[in-house]
Amino acid sequence: MTKVVIIGGGPGGYEAALVAAQLGADVTVVDRDGIGGACVLTDCVPSKSLIATSTRTTYVRESDSLGIHIPGSGDSPVQVDIDEVNCRIKRLAQAQSDDTAARLHKEGIQIVSGEARLVDPHIVAVGDQRLRADVILIATGAHPRELPTAEPDGERILTWRHLYDMEELPEKLIVVGSGVTGAEFASAYQSLGSDVTLVSSREHVMPTQDPDAAEVLEEVFMRRGMTVLNQTRAESVVRTEKGVLVTLSDGRTVEGSHCLMTVGMIPNTGDLGLEEAGVRLGQGGFVEVDRVSRTTVPGVYAAGDCTGVNMLASVAAMQGRIAMWHALGEAVSPLKLSTVASTVFTHPELAAVGASEDDVRSGRIDGRSVTLPLNTNPRAKMNEVTDGFVKLICRQHTGIVLGGVIVGPRASELILGVSIAVQQRLTVDDLAHTFSVYPSLSGSVTEAARSLMLASPE
C-alpha cells in the first residue's frame, strides 16, 4: 500500500488526502493549526461570513427605495454588535474545521498534530516521530506579510487574522492595500458602519482585475462614503494615544482608530527542511511546482498558497487532487489557470474567468466582447440594482467562449455558467440557445451571448 504523508490540513491538504484515501493509499495528514487550515479558521471562511453580515446591513440601509421604512432609524437604520458577529464567525469556522476533520477520520485518514520537517524525500519528522512515505505533499499555506514600519500589534495595527477578536467596531478604519483582500474588508467594514479610508498604491483599486469592473466598484465605494486615496503608499503606521497615524509616500498623514494591513502573503516554507531535501524554492520562498504539482524532488509534491501559483482555495484544492492523481497513477489533466474562476466578495461582487478584454485589445487573442449593464435587466430593476454588468468574450470567428466578467449581486454564483462554457469550449451560439429563467440576472449572460452571436462576422 502506498504511504502518503501530507503536511498541512488546509484545502490543498485535506482534498488531496480524500483523493489519496479513495485510491487506496495509507494517508497521514500532519497539521499544526487545525484541519481546514488558515482558509477555514482565519481567512476565507471567516471573511466571507463577515461579508455576509455586511451585505445584509447594506440591504437594510438601501431598502427605502423598495418601500421598506424602519421607524425611528434616522441616519443609522442598523446597529452592528461586532462582538456578537465575531463570535458567530468563530463558531462557524470551528464547526467547519470539525466537520472536515470528522470526514477525514471517517475515510480512515490519520491526523497527526505538530510541526513537520522533511528529514529526506521519504521521511517526515514530527517531534520525535518519524513518518515514512512513498509520496509527500507540501501544503503549508502562507501568512500575512508584515512591514517593518507598520508592525501589527493585534490591537490597533492589524492583519486580517486579528479582526475576529475585536469587541468593538472600528470607528475610523484605514485599510492599507487595495487588492482583493483590502477591497473586500474595506467594503465590508464600510457597510457595517465604520468610516473607512482605503489606501491604494495604484491608479485604481484592484489593479489586477478587469478595469471596467474595478471602476464600478470604486465608484460604489465612494458613493457609500468611503475615502479612496490612490497612487500613494503607506510609509509607516504608528500608534497614537487614541488610535493610529499613517504616513503616506506623498507626505500626507491619515489618522484613524485602527489600521488594517493587507499587503500580500509570505509562504510558510521556512524551517521545513525543503531546500536541504532538494526542493527548489523560487522568488519569495514559494515552492516551485509544475502543472501536475511536482517539485524538483521525485515523489515530493506541493499545493496551495505555499506555491504562489494562484492564491485561491479552489486552486489549492485542485493542485492537491492533481498531485494525488498523478502520484498514484491515475489519468490527470495538468492545471489550467485559464479556466479558473475567481470572485472579489465586495458588494456588489466581482467575478471573472478566462481571457480578459485586455487580451483582446492587445491582440494576444483574436476575439471580441460585449458588455451589458445590469440596469437594463428586469430582475435587477425589480431589486433596485443599478451597479454592475455582464461582459462576455469569445473568439472572433468561431464564437468559442474564452472568458467573462460579472459585477453584481451573487456574481460568484452567476459566473458558473460562463466557467462551464470556457471549460467545455462552448460557443456563444450554445449559450444563446440555452434557456434562462425569466426574470433572472443570469438572463443577461444568455443575452450577451445572443449579442455576440448576432454580431458574428459573415
Side-chain angles (χ1 to χ4, degrees):
M1 182 181 291
T2 304
K3 291 184 177 294
V4 175
V5 174
I6 297 169
I7 304 175
Y14 71 71
E15 288 288 350
L18 291 170
V19 168
Q22 182 185 42
L23 295 175
D26 178 354
V27 186
T28 300
V29 175
V30 182
D31 181 72
R32 181 182 64 183
D33 301 318
I35 295 299
C39 172
V40 168
L41 292 168
T42 62
D43 295 359
C44 186
V45 169
S47 67
K48 277 46 179 184
S49 300
L50 177 77
I51 289 165
T53 298
S54 72
T55 300
R56 295 289 183 90
T57 64
T58 300
Y59 284 141
V60 173
R61 287 194 175 98
E62 297 180 352
S63 61
D64 275 4
S65 61
L66 296 174
I68 302 172
H69 306 293
I70 302 173
S73 61
D75 294 330
S76 183
V78 289
Q79 298 294 324
V80 175
D81 185 335
I82 198 65
D83 185 41
E84 184 176 341
V85 170
N86 286 337
C87 285
R88 172 181 177 270
I89 288 170
K90 287 188 281 190
R91 285 197 305 270
L92 285 171
Q94 190 59 55
Q96 182 67 22
S97 175
D98 293 343
D99 287 348
T100 306
R103 172 78 189 283
L104 295 183
H105 282 300
K106 183 180 178 181
E107 298 298 328
I109 297 163
Q110 182 183 8
I111 299 174
V112 175
S113 297
E115 298 269 358
R117 180 180 175 84
L118 264 67
V119 176
D120 64 39
H122 294 287
I123 299 177
V124 175
V126 186
D128 295 330
Q129 188 176 7
R130 296 294 183 270
L131 303 174
R132 295 191 174 275
D134 302 302
V135 176
I136 295 173
L137 175 70
I138 311 299
T140 49
H143 61 275
R145 178 172 171 248
E146 298 178 6
L147 301 180
T149 57
E151 293 187 9
D153 59 15
E155 295 177 353
R156 296 288 181 176
I157 306 173
L158 313 165
T159 73
W160 56 88
R161 293 182 180 176
H162 297 128
L163 294 172
Y164 311 109
D165 293 323
M166 299 181 68
E167 297 178 356
E168 295 182 356
L169 190 69
E171 181 182 356
K172 297 187 68 174
L173 178 64
I174 303 167
V175 179
V176 175
S178 68
V180 171
T181 302
E184 286 184 346
F185 281 116
S187 174
Y189 278 96
Q190 184 73 33
S191 295
L192 291 171
S194 297
D195 179 359
V196 176
T197 297
L198 180 59
V199 178
S200 171
S201 63
R202 306 290 282 275
E203 187 176 353
H204 296 290
V205 301
M206 291 178 290
T208 62
Q209 303 297 316
D210 177 90
D212 295 334
E215 183 178 354
V216 168
L217 290 175
E218 186 169 324
E219 289 175 357
V220 171
F221 290 171
M222 292 190 292
R223 189 175 70 231
R224 290 178 179 161
M226 187 185 302
T227 300
V228 179
L229 303 178
N230 288 323
Q231 295 183 296
T232 188
R233 296 177 182 272
E235 293 289 342
S236 66
V237 183
V238 296
R239 286 191 64 158
T240 63
E241 184 178 346
K242 295 183 179 180
V244 294
L245 178 69
V246 179
T247 301
L248 304 178
S249 56
D250 57 15
R252 289 180 292 175
T253 58
V254 185
E255 293 186 79
S257 62
H258 299 77
C259 180
L260 173 61
M261 302 297 295
T262 63
V263 288
M265 299 283 280
I266 302 294
N268 297 328
T269 53
D271 300 323
L272 286 175
L274 298 180
E275 290 182 297
E276 293 87 340
V279 176
R280 183 183 301 146
L281 303 183
Q283 186 175 3
F286 291 98
V287 181
E288 291 188 1
V289 292
D290 62 13
R291 290 173 59 204
V292 292
S293 304
R294 290 179 296 190
T295 70
T296 50
V297 175
V300 179
Y301 294 74
D305 288 358
C306 67
T307 70
V309 170
N310 192 331
M311 290 189 173
L312 296 173
S314 58
V315 173
M318 186 59 74
Q319 283 181 297
R321 295 186 201 108
I322 287 173
M324 292 302 103
W325 286 326
H326 185 272
L328 298 174
E330 294 293 304
V332 61
S333 297
L335 182 68
K336 190 175 181 181
L337 292 177
S338 62
T339 63
V340 174
S342 63
T343 298
V344 184
F345 289 88
T346 46
H347 184 69
E349 294 177 352
L350 186 170
V353 65
S356 68
E357 191 170 31
D358 185 58
D359 290 329
V360 176
R361 290 174 177 169
S362 66
R364 287 190 292 270
I365 63 170
D366 184 19
R368 49 198 169 89
S369 67
V370 67
T371 302
L372 298 182
L374 276 187
N375 60 18
T376 63
N377 178 289
R379 185 70 180 273
K381 292 177 182 178
M382 295 169 192
N383 287 278
E384 288 288 315
V385 172
T386 58
D387 301 301
F389 59 79
V390 170
K391 179 182 292 186
L392 204 59
I393 300 158
C394 72
R395 285 209 179 277
Q396 182 70 258
H397 298 288
T398 63
I400 292 173
V401 179
L402 298 175
V405 180
I406 300 176
V407 178
R410 299 290 184 181
S412 53
E413 310 289 349
L414 292 172
I415 199 66
L416 178 62
V418 183
S419 294
I420 292 172
V422 172
Q423 175 74 37
Q424 300 300 321
R425 295 181 60 81
L426 303 181
T427 67
V428 290
D429 292 52
D430 294 324
L431 277 183
H433 289 105
T434 300
F435 279 96
S436 62
V437 171
Y438 182 88
S440 69
L441 295 180
S442 59
S444 287
V445 176
T446 54
E447 184 181 351
R450 288 193 294 273
S451 297
L452 285 172
M453 180 178 67
L454 292 172
S456 60
E458 297 180 359

